[in-house]
Amino acid sequence: MNRANLTRQFLLFGISVFALACNLASLALAPTPTITAPAPTLTRPPSATPTRAPRAGAPTWWDARIALPASFNFEGDARRAMWSTRDVNVEAIKDFLLAQTQGAGYRVFVITQSRGAIYDLLCVKGQDALALNLTLGSDTTIITAQRVGVLRLKVTGAANVELDLPLRARLDPKPGSEISIGTAVPSSQCARCEYFINVHIAPFKGVGNYDSKPGTYLIDVQVIPGGDPDKDDFRWPIGGCTVTVKESSGAFECKQLQNVNDQTKRIDVSGSWVQP
């Protein structure tokens, strides 16, 4: 072997050794891969307490003829009734309660606060009235009920009406700056028609007698006797008003209210109310 070939082989051997050394160095510097074991599957033990069954019940004043489904869970007390249900079809619940209350002999006024979500059912029969509210929650429907007062309304003149109406809320006869006596419920005469009565007294001294004679009390009255608010709105009782307020009852009489659109049309209005 000549000197040139020996030199060439020596160079090739050196290059091979150098390459092998580089490869070994790169392997030493490379990070060691981390192997993560799969997380253990946790099995939830069965609950020691079974799911609570709906609690049946109602206050003693609740009309037993208004039967409620067994799925309604009673959560109220002796004064205020409240139920909850997992049924979120509020429209169907409203129709069911409407049928139940009408079947028990009540006249029912349905007020839509939010279609498919919030409804008021005001039910009246004689001297008894109930205010029911249905409200849709995230996964439940809440039904509340309470007793309210009854207003006996009589209108004569350009309109003639005599019927019992439920109050929307309990009247508080404590002395204060003012009080509003009345109610507002829909009428079947047209889509926008309503029975609206508002007897406003200021200042209000509490239980007692009130007269609209000049220098005594300011008594404002507005009545829509079941008609369209744009056509059948009566105010300004030129014949004066008298009102008697007791702890849980009262009465009023106002004469010659004028139609705001046609002052030749006039009505006399009287009413009395009683509340539990």
Side-chain angles (χ1 to χ4, degrees), residues 172-179 181 201-210 217 243-250 273:
D172 185 356
K174 292 197 298 289
S177 59
E178 60 184 3
I179 190 174
I181 302 166
I201 304 173
F204 181 65
K205 67 179 183 180
V207 171
N209 298 315
Y210 298 85
Y217 298 93
V243 184
T244 298
V245 179
K246 300 179 181 180
E247 282 293 339
S248 58
S249 63
W273 72 90

Side-chain angles (χ1 to χ4, degrees), residues 13-260:
F13 176 77
I15 292 171
S16 299
V17 171
F18 179 77
L20 177 59
C22 290
N23 289 335
L24 291 175
S26 62
L27 290 175
L29 295 175
T32 303
T34 301
I35 301 175
T36 304
T41 302
L42 298 178
T43 303
R44 186 182 299 274
S47 174
T49 304
T51 302
R52 181 168 59 90
R55 182 164 64 95
T60 56
W61 52 262
W62 179 255
D63 193 331
R65 289 168 294 183
I66 306 175
L68 300 177
S71 60
F72 280 29
N73 185 52
F74 180 63
E75 299 177 357
D77 51 34
R79 181 177 180 182
R80 188 167 182 262
M82 182 170 71
W83 295 267
S84 64
T85 175
R86 291 291 183 178
D87 187 349
V88 294
N89 188 342
V90 182
E91 191 78 26
I93 297 174
K94 180 259 296 179
D95 293 340
F96 172 83
L97 290 175
L98 176 61
Q100 289 294 96
T101 49
Q102 288 178 332
Y106 289 84
R107 182 175 184 178
V108 185
F109 301 88
V110 179
I111 300 172
T112 302
Q113 303 283 10
S114 176
R115 187 167 300 280
I118 305 175
Y119 293 96
D120 289 330
L121 274 66
L122 299 174
C123 317
V124 61
K125 180 176 64 174
Q127 297 298 297
D128 297 321
L130 301 172
L132 280 66
N133 173 267
L134 287 67
T135 299
L136 176 64
S138 58
D139 58 357
T140 59
T141 301
I142 303 298
I143 302 96
T144 59
Q146 58 183 329
R147 290 186 296 174
V148 293
V150 178
L151 173 67
R152 180 70 180 177
L153 177 68
K154 183 176 181 180
V155 179
T156 58
N160 292 277
V161 174
E162 189 168 1
L163 79 168
D164 294 325
L165 298 171
L167 297 177
R168 295 287 295 270
R170 183 174 179 82
L171 298 176
D172 185 356
K174 292 197 298 289
S177 59
E178 60 184 3
I179 190 174
S180 289
I181 302 166
T183 190
V185 295
S187 166
S188 60
Q189 295 184 30
C190 70
R192 298 181 63 248
C193 290
E194 63 177 329
Y195 295 101
F196 179 88
I197 301 94
N198 182 33
V199 180
H200 179 264
I201 304 173
F204 181 65
K205 67 179 183 180
V207 171
N209 298 315
Y210 298 85
D211 196 311
S212 62
K213 291 178 180 179
T216 55
Y217 298 93
L218 177 63
I219 302 178
D220 291 326
V221 183
Q222 181 182 7
V223 176
I224 302 172
D228 188 326
D230 291 337
K231 301 176 182 179
D232 304 302
D233 187 355
F234 291 84
R235 307 184 192 186
W236 314 312
I238 60 176
C241 284
T242 57
V243 184
T244 298
V245 179
K246 300 179 181 180
E247 282 293 339
S248 58
S249 63
F252 64 87
E253 183 176 14
C254 299
K255 294 184 176 297
Q256 295 297 289
L257 278 74
Q258 305 169 78
N259 188 302
V260 298

